[in-house]
């Protein structure tokens, strides 16, 4: 009996010791993720909940908020300027995402096929440098280069006998110019993502394909692109989210002009919130944009199961 009691007591002490160790490990884990949790709470969760609540009020930032329910959202549906900016944002997201992701994959495949390591390193660095430059700096630089009368680009075009192009002063050209600037700045980031995906593809697959007599086109369509779909999937989601939130480049280069041709939802939101102090209406724009991005992301995730191939 005494030996059984000692054994039971030892088992209890062992379980207590294990529980204490598990608690210490858990506390250590929570300690390490605490900065991320605080950042998520302070910079995402609380602002999101506050924005959802604010969208139900009419508030000019100075007087007492007045509850209006869904009136702000019904007004958005009738606001022609908001619908125009939503169209501009959607078109920008379409063209910028296509350019960044498509060109990034094309460049990555080209760089990966180069045999000289020093040239690969140089090209990776050269394409990535624009990404680390501030968006405002990039916008100011291109604003100088694309000036219609004094810009460097039009100067050399005129030397070639080409009529000066109103890059930023024409409704059609301003939108195209900003898309091109966005692609120039961000394509290097997506190039690196695709390069990482390419280097994760086993070389044995290409060697087996060469033994079977597969040409370059077959290797590209049957090995490279299918095994790059995880990188492509990630890039599409990141590019689309970023494109719907575009603000700095258009604000600096055109301020939404000419004639609201380059005004986006975020720009209109900023003007309503900090120009007109129509905080409730601006919050309703933010909420609607949030749900649009969420819906597009969820749709991509659902459709991704059909075309993304994981090894």
């Amino acid at each position: 009996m005494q030996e059984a009691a000692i054994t039971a007591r030892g088992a209890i002490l062992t379980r207590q010791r294990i529980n204490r160790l598990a608690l210490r490990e858990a506390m250590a884990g929570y300690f390490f993720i605490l900065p991320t949790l605080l950042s998520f709470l302070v910079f995402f969760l609380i602002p999101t909940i506050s924005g959802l609540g604010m969208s139900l009020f009419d508030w000019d930032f100075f007087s007492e908020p007045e509850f209006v329910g869904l009136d702000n959202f019904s007004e958005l549906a009738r606001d022609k300027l908001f619908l125009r900016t939503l169209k501009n944002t959607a078109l920008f997201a379409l063209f910028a995402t296509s350019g960044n992701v498509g060109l990034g994959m094309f460049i990555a495949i080209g760089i990966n096929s180069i045999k000289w390591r020093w040239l690969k390193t140089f090209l990776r660095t050269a394409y990535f440098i624009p990404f680390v430059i501030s968006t405002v700096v990039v916008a100011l630089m291109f604003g100088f280069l694309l000036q219609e009368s004094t810009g460097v680009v039009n100067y050399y075009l005129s030397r070639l006998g080409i009529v000066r192009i109103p890059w930023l002063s024409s409704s059609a050209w301003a939108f195209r110019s900003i898309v091109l600037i966005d692609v120039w700045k961000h394509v290097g980031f997506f190039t690196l993502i695709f390069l990482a995906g390419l280097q994760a593809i086993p070389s044995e697959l290409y060697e087996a394909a060469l033994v079977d007599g597969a040409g370059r086109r077959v290797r590209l369509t049957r090995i490279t692109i299918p095994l790059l779909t995880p990188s492509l999937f990630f890039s599409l989601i990141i590019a689309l989210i970023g494109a719907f939130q575009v603000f700095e480049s258009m604000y600096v280069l055109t301020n939404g002009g000419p004639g609201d041709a380059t005004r986006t939802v975020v720009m209109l939101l900023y003007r309503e919130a900090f120009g007109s102090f129509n905080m409730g209406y601006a919050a309703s724009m933010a909420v609607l944009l949030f749900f649009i991005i969420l819906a597009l992301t969820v749709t991509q995730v659902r459709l991704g199961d059909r075309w993304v191939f994981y090894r």
Side-chain angles (χ1 to χ4, degrees):
M1 292 293 293
Q2 187 175 2
E3 293 179 357
I6 293 174
T7 302
R9 191 180 302 111
I12 293 173
L13 292 175
T14 302
R15 285 198 298 270
Q16 290 177 348
R17 189 177 297 110
I18 293 174
N19 290 336
R20 284 196 298 269
L21 290 174
L23 180 60
R24 288 181 182 178
E25 290 181 359
M27 293 299 293
Y30 284 119
F31 176 77
F32 282 114
I33 67 173
L34 183 61
T36 302
L37 288 175
L38 289 176
S39 299
F40 175 79
L41 181 67
V42 174
F43 296 108
F44 179 78
L45 188 60
I46 292 177
T48 300
I49 296 174
S50 300
L52 287 170
M54 195 184 302
S55 66
L56 304 177
F57 289 84
D58 182 14
W59 185 37
D60 62 1
F61 202 74
F62 300 104
S63 61
E64 191 71 21
E66 178 185 353
F67 181 78
V68 294
L70 299 177
D71 288 354
N72 287 325
F73 294 96
S74 61
E75 187 176 348
L76 283 178
R78 299 189 300 267
D79 190 341
K80 293 183 179 180
L81 179 57
F82 172 75
L83 296 177
R84 173 74 182 276
T85 59
L86 185 60
K87 178 183 175 182
N88 291 341
T89 305
L91 289 174
F92 177 84
L94 174 64
F95 292 121
T97 300
S98 302
N100 281 316
V101 176
L103 190 59
M105 183 168 65
F106 176 78
I107 293 172
I109 292 173
I111 292 176
N112 194 62
S113 64
I114 297 174
K115 297 181 180 179
W116 299 289
R117 181 175 298 179
W118 65 268
L119 185 56
K120 281 185 177 182
T121 303
F122 171 76
L123 290 175
R124 283 200 304 263
T125 306
Y127 278 109
F128 189 70
I129 284 176
F131 179 72
V132 300
I133 301 175
S134 168
T135 304
V136 175
V137 173
V138 170
L140 290 173
M141 178 182 70
F142 274 98
F144 170 74
L145 293 174
L146 300 179
Q147 282 290 333
E148 184 176 357
S149 56
T150 60
V152 176
V153 175
N154 274 342
Y155 170 76
Y156 285 106
L157 289 179
S158 63
R159 294 291 297 271
L160 296 173
I162 301 175
V163 178
R164 293 177 181 269
I165 298 174
W167 296 103
L168 301 173
S169 56
S170 166
S171 299
W173 278 105
F175 187 85
R176 298 170 187 171
S177 300
I178 293 176
V179 171
L180 291 174
I181 292 169
D182 185 85
V183 172
W184 180 86
K185 174 172 170 50
H186 294 103
V187 70
F189 171 75
F190 296 100
T191 299
L192 287 186
I193 291 176
F194 285 116
L195 278 171
L198 286 167
Q199 293 172 8
I201 299 176
S203 59
E204 293 83 1
L205 297 177
Y206 292 107
E207 294 170 0
L210 285 173
V211 171
D212 291 339
R216 181 176 297 180
R217 182 180 62 84
V218 174
R219 296 198 303 271
L220 177 66
T221 56
R222 298 298 179 89
I223 298 176
T224 304
I225 294 180
L227 294 181
L228 268 183
T229 50
S231 300
L232 179 61
F233 175 67
F234 173 78
S235 298
L236 285 173
I237 291 179
I238 295 299
L240 195 65
I241 292 174
F244 266 93
Q245 296 175 338
V246 63
F247 174 75
E248 298 100 324
S249 56
M250 292 186 178
Y251 184 79
V252 172
L253 285 168
T254 62
N255 196 23
D260 294 319
T262 59
R263 193 176 303 279
T264 62
V265 173
V266 178
M267 291 182 67
L268 183 61
L269 187 158
Y270 174 81
R271 191 183 74 176
E272 290 291 331
F274 303 106
S276 303
F277 296 105
N278 195 352
M279 304 302 292
Y281 193 55
S284 64
M285 292 184 192
V287 170
L288 184 59
L289 184 63
F290 169 78
F291 281 109
I292 290 174
I293 295 174
L294 179 63
L296 291 173
T297 304
V298 170
T299 302
Q300 288 186 87
V301 171
R302 292 289 181 87
L303 295 177
D305 295 335
R306 302 180 182 180
W307 61 272
V308 179
F309 300 95
Y310 296 100
R311 297 193 305 276

